[in-house]
Amino acid sequence: MGERRHLIVEAGTGTGKTLAYLLPALRTGQRVIISTGTKALQDQLYFRDIPFLESLLGKLRVTMMKGRANYLCRHKLVTLRDQPILNGLEEIDQYRQIAEWEETTLTGDRAEISGLPEASAVWSKIDARSDACLGQTCPSYQRCFITEMRRAALESDIIIVNHHLFFADLAVKREAAGAPDAGILPEAAAVVFDEAHELEEVASSYFGLSVSNVRFEELARDTDVLLRGKEGALGLPALTAQLRDRARMFFAGLPMSGDGRQPFLAREEFLETSGDLYTGVRATLRRLEDEIGALKEVDEAPGLRKRVARLRSELEFLLESNASNIVYWLERRAFGGNDRGSDRNGRESRFTRQQSRNTFVQATPIDVSELLSELVFESIPTVVLTSATLTVQGGFEHIRKRLGMTEARELVVPSHFRYGEQALLYLPPHMPDPREPDFPAAAAECIRRVLDITKGRAFCLFTSYSQMRDLYDRLLPVLDYPILLHGTAPRKALLEEFRSTPNAVLFGTSSFWQGVDVQGEALSCVIIDRLPFAVPNDPVVQARMKVIEEAGGKPFFDYQVPEAILTLKQGFGRLIRSLEDRGVLVLLDPRIRRQRYGQAFLQSLPPYRMTTTITDVERFFGNSG
């Protein structure tokens, strides 16, 4: 780190990469930010790895920071008590639980409240998101959990964040053009990105824009609550009611066909035919902005006015801008049931218990490499990228190009796992192409036969919800093992049930392909239905492929194949998590053997022993005791 150079490292599970970057970071004597792909890895670092190092080195100055929505806003809590807008006994009970916890918590982190539902409607009304933050004018500023977290970070040598917080903070600082109070992360001599394979997607989301009916509803709600009874605000309830109505008509009028993600190619046509829907909601925002701005003596007014102005300017950009390197798209998501979820491209499950819809208008950078080059690799003295899955066919060219990392040392740390002995890769010899109508029946028969050999104890990972549901329906009547289905409970609960249930089988999609650690015999088999190519008609994928083609490249080989390789490596990586683990990997997609690009996949995987014979699978488990 003292050389002010960048490093990119692929280091497999069990190589000790967390200690390999934590120890040098502590020895620099300078502040280092460690950014992880998930909150789970944050917790592992802070609650397991740091205490281990402290047992050897003594007390360390380390702070963990999450996004503002994870923390309680004390001012909102008091405001909600005085002006309640709680719906039903469940919300009232949650509020009481949070209020009691607030009296004892030192961090304000909602993770401390084990009984609070993930989708708590109460929490969204009292979290510390910056939209409604009063800053130094807040009566609770000195006791604010965000203020305390900032102070702790300034006094720390190591700050543990996640990618979402890092890029949210970077986007705020970029927009504020260097304002001293912008963002919450302090300057650092180095940043380590663990699980760096996720950087492009996370950065794309935070360098883009998103406006939804949810934001309009929350703005109207917060305006009603925070300004209720304030002098000069008597006319605001009628104005927020108008905003709700006009926003509802605007989002209902967007040119969408069903749920999911779709390009917003006809923006000009929409403005020509339904421009009154857009101008109506924009005019109401302008009027609300002016009305709130006139409340000179109200502490909450400046923050709310800024929030209205931001929403209006983002809406104008999304409907009127023709910026280059941007793809404009629409998304409609269903919500309201316990079996909610999205596939790897964000689309909702067909079996979601649909009670309502949220609609989003979005703009995403097509290529973030120049932004990352400028804001990360040219601005931060030392950046380290690491993950178990960064190389394609042994090289870093793909990930470096996507992220704009031009100058960096490279290192591949071989795993000490004995993959040739611990894992067997089974490629069924007579499977039809996944795009053929007879694939599901053949896949169901193959999965049934393998699970009979493994006695369950398996992850079945799918690239889409529809395929997962189809195979689940086919196999449920014929399998004698407990089957857990992604979407029927929170991921953490499903994993705990899988670990504690003998011979269980878990059917999962995107979120189970990575960041899941199940060691031991409970997970002895991972079955993947098909090569995980991104859906080519997804608007962001489509735009990226078009840019590559226009530049003379080959989108399939230059983008889709490398991305699918990294995803497949993540999925297979669920199986071997320790030196004692043994198991079978199964890929049902015959294209890995039949198509020319299949060699790129095989050359990128660890050196598993490979077979096309089911009797080898039987022998593997027969010899495993």
Side-chain angles (χ1 to χ4, degrees), residues 86-96:
L86 300 175
N87 299 314
L89 294 176
E90 184 179 4
E91 288 196 11
I92 293 171
D93 181 65
Q94 289 178 19
Y95 178 86
R96 288 173 179 165

Side-chain angles (χ1 to χ4, degrees), residues 459 482-486 488-506 512 518 522:
F459 277 4
I483 302 181
L484 308 176
L485 184 65
H486 183 184
T488 57
R491 186 177 81 154
K492 184 178 180 181
L494 285 175
L495 285 172
E496 290 175 354
E497 187 174 356
F498 179 84
R499 292 187 181 101
S500 62
T501 304
N503 307 101
V505 178
L506 189 149
F512 286 94
V518 178

Side-chain angles (χ1 to χ4, degrees), residues 219 285 288-289 304-312:
L219 173 63
L285 284 170
L288 183 61
E289 186 180 343
L304 275 173
R305 183 179 183 275
K306 183 178 179 181
R307 183 172 165 186
V308 177
R310 180 188 181 93
L311 181 57
R312 176 182 53 78

Side-chain angles (χ1 to χ4, degrees), residues 185-375:
L185 296 183
E187 295 296 317
V191 177
V192 178
F193 291 104
D194 202 341
E195 298 175 321
H197 59 278
E198 298 183 19
L199 286 186
E200 182 179 15
E201 292 307 314
V202 177
S204 296
S205 67
Y206 284 100
F207 291 142
L209 295 177
S210 177
V211 167
S212 68
N213 61 308
V214 179
R215 282 183 66 184
F216 277 90
E217 175 57 36
E218 290 181 345
L219 173 63
R221 180 198 70 201
D222 291 347
T223 301
D224 287 342
V225 172
L226 294 173
L227 301 183
R228 183 176 295 158
K230 303 291 185 180
E231 185 176 352
L234 291 177
L236 286 179
L239 193 54
T240 55
Q242 183 184 83
L243 181 65
R244 285 185 170 98
D245 288 341
R246 290 189 171 180
R248 194 176 299 117
M249 289 188 291
F250 169 76
F251 285 102
L254 289 169
M256 301 191 67
S257 54
D259 290 353
R261 293 159 58 126
Q262 47 201 279
F264 195 1
L265 300 176
R267 287 185 305 147
E268 291 185 10
E269 181 181 336
F270 172 73
L271 290 176
E272 289 176 5
T273 59
S274 305
D276 56 324
L277 299 177
Y278 163 60
T279 56
V281 73
R282 184 183 63 175
T284 306
L285 284 170
R286 283 188 180 277
R287 186 178 164 200
L288 183 61
E289 186 180 343
D290 292 340
E291 293 285 338
I292 294 175
L295 303 175
K296 303 298 184 183
E297 305 300 322
V298 178
D299 290 341
E300 292 86 353
L304 275 173
R305 183 179 183 275
K306 183 178 179 181
R307 183 172 165 186
V308 177
R310 180 188 181 93
L311 181 57
R312 176 182 53 78
S313 66
E314 291 184 7
L315 182 67
E316 290 172 348
F317 181 91
L318 288 163
L319 271 295
E320 300 180 36
S321 170
N322 289 308
S324 60
N325 192 38
I326 294 287
V327 55
Y328 302 89
W329 52 287
L330 303 169
E331 181 177 16
R332 182 168 287 141
R333 303 176 194 165
F335 74 94
N338 292 327
D339 48 356
R340 172 188 174 191
S342 307
D343 66 14
R344 68 189 297 261
N345 284 309
R347 293 168 306 183
E348 288 295 332
S349 161
R350 290 181 184 175
F351 61 94
T352 301
R353 195 186 322 148
Q354 298 175 353
Q355 295 180 359
S356 192
R357 297 285 192 279
N358 288 333
T359 304
F360 300 76
V361 186
Q362 315 216 47
T364 302
I366 299 170
D367 185 345
V368 293
S369 61
E370 290 187 12
L371 279 170
L372 290 175
S373 178
E374 174 191 349
L375 299 174

